[in-house]
């Protein structure tokens, strides 16, 4: 059985990297075959994993993250931010707001189940919400019943805003029982109050079922490939 690491408070389960403003060259961590379980608290910092400031080479392999306010939070900043994060296998499920929130580069999210995140169904919350980051891959994940309230998906599944150069989204499956118009599938769209662009984007081989306005919504992405 998976070793169970249970949060007993309202704070962070695991933190990688130093505090804000930290410049230490920090990295090289692996969590494998664990379950991290939160308390279900709505506290603003009740996060399963926090990657903060200048941390690299973190692998979450076959890890279950559930019942937190937010599953994984990556808060970067200069000079390097969070790089080379791998989330593979396992599940990020039943977190009150988002499964993943933040900015990473040179990272891979693959073969993972994102299920029933975003209890409120808010259009501002998503199973994965990336605010920038370059050269990332989202591959072979299953998004199941995220942002669903009263049988309707009302919020997001995979959403990207900001400025990005290099993004591959392929062979993912997004399933909800039914949807309001605001239910998003794959959204690579401008959403902030400054100039945004998405370059070298490829979206291919994805499948969506019962979504809202579109499976793939994309703009501000010159030369994007949709296959």
């Amino acid at each position: 059985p998976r070793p169970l690491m249970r949060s007993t408070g309202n704070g962070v389960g695991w933190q990688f990297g130093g505090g804000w403003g930290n410049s230490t060259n920090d990295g090289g961590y692996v969590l494998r075959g664990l379950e991290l379980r939160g308390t279900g608290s709505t506290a603003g910092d009740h996060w399963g994993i926090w990657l903060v400031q200048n941390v690299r080479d973190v692998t979450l392999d076959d890890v279950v993250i559930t019942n937190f306010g937010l599953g994984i939070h990556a808060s970067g900043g200069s000079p390097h931010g969070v790089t080379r994060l791998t989330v593979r296998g396992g599940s990020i499920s039943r977190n009150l707001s988002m499964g993943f929130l933040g900015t990473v580069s040179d990272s891979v999210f693959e073969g993972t189940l994102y299920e029933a995140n975003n209890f409120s169904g808010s259009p501002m919350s998503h199973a994965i919400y990336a605010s920038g980051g370059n050269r990332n891959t989202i591959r072979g994940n299953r998004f199941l019943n995220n942002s669903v309230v009263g049988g309707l998906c009302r919020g997001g599944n995979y959403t990207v805003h900001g400025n990005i150069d290099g993004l591959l989204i392929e062979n993912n499956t997004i399933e909800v029982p039914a949807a309001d118009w605001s239910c998003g599938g794959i959204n690579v769209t401008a959403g902030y109050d400054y100039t945004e662009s998405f370059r070298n984007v490829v979206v291919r081989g994805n499948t969506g079922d019962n979504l809202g306005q579109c499976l793939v919504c994309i703009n501000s992405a010159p030369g994007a490939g949709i296959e």
Side-chain angles (χ1 to χ4, degrees):
R2 296 176 189 275
L4 172 61
M5 308 189 77
R6 188 191 303 272
S7 171
T8 58
N10 297 325
V12 176
W14 276 82
Q15 176 179 325
F16 297 100
W20 192 255
N22 175 66
S23 59
T24 302
N25 186 16
D26 189 12
Y29 299 99
V30 177
L31 293 186
R32 177 173 290 122
L34 303 177
E35 179 175 345
L36 311 182
R37 187 183 302 170
T39 63
S41 169
T42 58
D45 61 350
H46 189 46
W47 307 329
I49 291 178
W50 188 19
L51 306 161
V52 54
Q53 191 79 25
N54 196 33
V55 62
R56 57 175 172 73
D57 298 300
V58 176
T59 297
L60 308 179
D61 183 13
D62 191 28
V63 172
V64 172
I65 302 173
T66 187
N67 212 34
F68 288 91
L70 195 160
I72 302 172
H73 188 198
S75 48
S78 60
H80 304 299
V82 179
T83 58
R84 299 195 296 275
L85 168 67
T86 299
V87 180
R88 177 188 301 120
S91 69
I92 300 176
S93 303
R94 297 175 179 83
N95 297 290
L96 273 69
S97 59
M98 291 183 260
F100 172 89
L101 168 66
T103 303
V104 296
S105 293
D106 300 297
S107 297
V108 177
F109 298 75
E110 64 180 358
T112 300
L113 172 65
Y114 296 85
E115 181 178 10
N117 299 287
N118 184 16
F119 287 12
S120 71
S122 167
M124 305 299 289
S125 294
H126 317 274
I128 296 179
Y129 180 15
S131 51
N134 300 320
R135 300 172 301 279
N136 293 316
T137 297
I138 315 298
R139 175 192 296 127
N141 302 287
R142 185 184 184 196
F143 296 83
L144 178 63
N145 296 337
N146 293 288
S147 305
V148 172
V149 178
L152 284 179
C153 168
R154 304 174 188 274
N157 282 275
Y158 177 76
T159 296
V160 176
H161 297 319
N163 288 285
I164 285 176
D165 190 348
L167 177 62
L168 173 61
I169 308 169
E170 67 175 355
N171 300 332
N172 301 283
T173 301
I174 303 175
E175 306 165 69
V176 295
D180 200 350
W181 179 257
S182 59
C183 174
I186 296 168
N187 290 329
V188 182
T189 55
Y192 298 145
D193 59 357
Y194 55 78
T195 301
E196 299 173 69
S197 68
F198 311 100
R199 298 187 179 278
N200 297 305
V201 174
V202 175
V203 183
R204 66 187 177 205
N206 300 283
T207 302
D209 208 10
N210 296 329
L211 293 164
Q213 55 182 311
C214 51
L215 168 60
V216 180
C217 300
I218 188 165
N219 63 30
S220 304
I226 314 297
E227 304 174 9

